[in-house]
Amino acid sequence: MLRTPSPDGLRFAFGTLTVLPVKVTRWDRDAARGGMLCAPLAGLAVGVAAAAAGLLLLALGAGTLLAAVATAAVPAVLTRGLHLDGLADTADGLGSGKPAEDALRIMKQSDIGPFGVLALLFTLLAQVAALAQAYDGSWARGALAAVVSATAARLALTTAARTGVPAARPEGLGAAVAGVVPAGGALAATAAVTLAGAATGAYLGPYDALRTALAVVCAVAVAELLLRHCVRRFGGVTGDVFGGVAETAATTALVVLVLG
């Protein structure tokens, strides 16, 4: 089996998962494997940018709610809103109650149905509310929440692209990355992000270390539930499902980080 050079994997991750001007030079399965394994690094960059926006507003005298709105907006901007769009389309497909073929057709339509609107509304409200509560605790907890949620969201993409998860369509980004990550690689990435989160949270105290690790684990677990449901309903994953999985993981991580 060919090993993907690290630069190819990084370019694939940043070039497909962010709007950063990174040129993807390889689109083969080996590059996709490296890219999906590097997805949490792209999430880390997005999270740092989101935290920076929130902290800047706080430094300028804005309240925690406005800082939370800015923090939630940055990931949407840096991903061209693709994950949110995927969440809305996935909600419309699942909510339609139609057979797989019809549901996939609904998801490809350019308009957003009522289920998609509700999914976007409540997801963004939950994210902003959780971030505002985190910033109310301290600027450090708000920044930590921004970074952890963005990284956990992209980690969920890594696990969703593991071997054994089929593509629902033969074309599109979902098909390009479906099943490219070995199960062992997905497990190793999960362990690495969880440990890194715990180590970072430890700077705020032992409880924060435990809560941060739990946030990552819960984010991946809830995203996995959505993934399995989509595979059952649609016969596999699509680019929209990947987006829905990412937003679900991000929201779950934020909620867990402000509990207790």
Side-chain angles (χ1 to χ4, degrees):
M1 180 181 296
L2 294 174
R3 291 182 61 86
T4 303
S6 177
D8 286 324
L10 287 171
R11 279 194 289 266
F12 190 98
F14 281 86
T16 59
L17 299 178
T18 75
V19 298
L20 298 177
V22 178
K23 183 178 180 181
V24 180
T25 56
R26 290 177 54 187
W27 285 94
D28 55 83
R29 299 284 285 180
D30 290 307
R33 178 181 303 110
M36 296 313 288
L37 284 170
C38 291
L41 294 178
L44 176 62
V46 170
V48 169
L55 294 180
L56 176 60
L57 282 175
L58 288 178
L60 292 174
T64 55
L65 180 57
L66 185 56
V69 171
T71 302
V74 168
V77 172
L78 291 182
T79 58
R80 301 185 184 90
L82 288 178
H83 293 165
L84 289 170
D85 180 69
L87 172 68
D89 289 341
T90 300
D92 281 334
L94 292 174
S96 69
K98 302 287 186 181
E101 183 176 350
D102 293 333
L104 290 172
R105 177 181 52 78
I106 290 172
M107 292 164 64
K108 289 190 69 173
Q109 295 176 354
S110 59
D111 60 332
I112 299 179
F115 291 104
V117 171
L118 289 173
L120 286 177
L121 175 63
F122 288 115
T123 295
L124 290 172
L125 282 174
Q127 291 180 3
V128 170
L131 284 165
Q133 184 175 339
Y135 280 124
D136 281 335
S138 70
W139 66 264
R141 284 189 168 83
L144 177 66
V147 173
V148 170
S149 63
T151 306
R154 279 70 184 175
L155 172 63
L157 298 181
T158 302
T159 61
R162 71 183 181 274
T163 303
V165 179
R169 301 189 185 103
E171 75 285 339
L173 181 60
V177 301
V180 297
V181 176
L187 183 61
T190 301
V193 173
T194 303
L195 291 174
T200 305
Y203 285 97
L204 299 176
Y207 179 72
D208 288 282
L210 177 61
R211 183 164 59 178
T212 303
L214 183 62
V216 174
V217 172
C218 288
V220 173
V222 175
E224 177 68 16
L225 292 176
L226 174 62
L227 175 69
R228 294 190 179 194
H229 182 54
C230 289
V231 170
R232 287 194 300 269
R233 283 282 286 108
F234 307 139
V237 293
T238 67
D240 287 331
V241 171
F242 276 107
V245 163
E247 290 297 334
T248 297
T251 306
T252 301
L254 287 173
V255 170
V256 173
L257 284 170
V258 297
L259 293 179

